[in-house]
Amino acid sequence: MKVLVAVKRVVDYNVKVRPKADGSGVDLANVKMALNPFCEIAVEEAVRLKEKGVATEVVVVSAGGKACQEQIRTALALGADRGIHVETEAELQPLAVAKLLKAVVDKEQAQLVILGKQSIDGDNNQTGQMLAALAGMAQGTFASEVVVDGGNLKVTREIDGGLQTVSLKLPAVVTTDLRLNEPRYASLPNIMKAKKKPLDVVTPDALGVNVESKLTLVKVEPPAERKAGIKVESVEQLVDKLKNEAKVI
């Protein structure tokens, strides 16, 4: 079984992001970039499936500028077999990414596609669901456990009411939640080996996909600073402030 894993290059989660002075976007100058944490979990799950003998090959794909190859190499160092880079400088929206991934899935004939449930920059939580719809594949989102049994897949999902287990038939799309696994660290020998693993570069045009953005970014600004709280002397004073100052009652 071939497993395809989508990964994304994002600002490192330890970095405090700031908008540009003109509000046209996020300032990425000299900012540390990293592999999206949910994508790391997806890579780890695919590698574990290979180690169990369930998967025969793990292919990592990422879309974006040339710098994305750094994150692909990171995934290769974690145990993936080869990488595919869809190179484009366009501002990619979830639907465009889903269309690119569908084209890669069709080309690679992957039986299982694993993605992080969301990226920590856009927080859209859309690409996996869109990919499943476009490709006509079953989907199991927010997975905290994945069990492959022949041509079937059992996915335990984290939902508001607790846990839900769904049974799917392959091919399928799975999006990973935090409790699915704990990603390993890439060892130095594996980092060196990753440099020699195959990495193919394609373009959206070669895949027959139009990635033109349908959305216009109006402005990026930081959230308003919260005012300091106050202490009240009595319940009556609290009610008075909620009613007359906050106007929430």
Side-chain angles (χ1 to χ4, degrees), residues 38-51:
F38 289 102
C39 297
E40 273 191 286
I41 294 170
V43 173
E44 175 66 24
E45 190 65 20
V47 172
R48 290 188 184 188
L49 288 175
K50 186 184 175 185
E51 290 173 344

Side-chain angles (χ1 to χ4, degrees), residues 24-224:
S24 62
V26 176
D27 187 2
L28 298 179
N30 301 315
V31 171
K32 182 182 178 183
M33 307 297 284
L35 185 62
N36 180 50
F38 289 102
C39 297
E40 273 191 286
I41 294 170
V43 173
E44 175 66 24
E45 190 65 20
V47 172
R48 290 188 184 188
L49 288 175
K50 186 184 175 185
E51 290 173 344
K52 292 176 184 177
V54 175
T56 55
E57 184 181 27
V58 176
V59 183
V60 176
V61 59
S62 186
K66 192 170 184 178
C68 288
Q69 293 188 16
E70 179 184 349
Q71 278 61 50
I72 296 176
R73 292 293 182 192
T74 299
L76 294 176
L78 291 173
D81 298 300
R82 60 187 176 92
I84 299 174
H85 177 208
V86 183
E87 188 171 358
T88 175
E89 296 300 330
E91 189 70 31
L92 295 173
Q93 300 295 335
L95 180 57
V97 177
K99 289 179 177 179
L100 291 171
L101 291 177
K102 179 188 180 298
V104 175
V105 169
D106 291 343
K107 182 180 178 181
E108 293 291 329
Q109 292 296 298
Q111 287 76 49
L112 177 62
V113 185
I114 308 180
L115 309 85
K117 71 171 184 177
Q118 65 195 74
S119 59
I120 62 171
D121 51 4
D123 272 337
N124 291 307
N125 179 22
Q126 295 174 338
T127 305
Q129 293 89 325
M130 288 178 171
L131 171 60
L134 291 171
M137 300 167 71
Q139 61 175 301
T141 55
F142 319 131
S144 61
E145 184 180 6
V146 176
V147 178
V148 180
D149 182 15
N152 298 313
L153 191 68
K154 281 191 176 180
V155 178
T156 301
R157 306 178 61 236
E158 301 212 354
I159 59 174
D160 291 342
L163 298 177
Q164 178 190 56
T165 301
V166 294
S167 182
L168 313 173
K169 287 189 178 297
L170 295 173
V173 175
V174 172
T175 69
T176 61
D177 214 328
L178 284 174
R179 278 163 286 278
L180 179 59
N181 60 53
E182 184 174 341
R184 69 193 69 189
Y185 290 98
S187 64
L188 183 58
N190 286 339
I191 292 173
M192 301 306 294
K193 290 177 184 177
K195 295 180 180 179
K196 297 181 180 179
K197 289 184 178 180
L199 196 165
D200 299 326
V201 180
V202 297
T203 63
D205 289 340
L207 295 173
V209 178
N210 179 10
V211 295
E212 181 183 356
S213 177
K214 306 297 182 183
L215 302 177
T216 301
L217 178 63
V218 178
K219 187 179 182 183
V220 176
E221 59 184 14

Side-chain angles (χ1 to χ4, degrees), residues 217-235:
L217 178 63
V218 178
K219 187 179 182 183
V220 176
E221 59 184 14
E225 292 187 9
R226 296 180 63 179
K227 295 180 181 179
I230 60 171
K231 290 184 178 181
V232 295
E233 301 296 331
S234 66
V235 174

Side-chain angles (χ1 to χ4, degrees), residues 238-244 246-249:
L238 171 62
V239 172
D240 178 68
K241 289 187 176 295
L242 290 174
K243 185 175 181 179
N244 300 313
K247 299 187 183 302
V248 294
I249 60 172

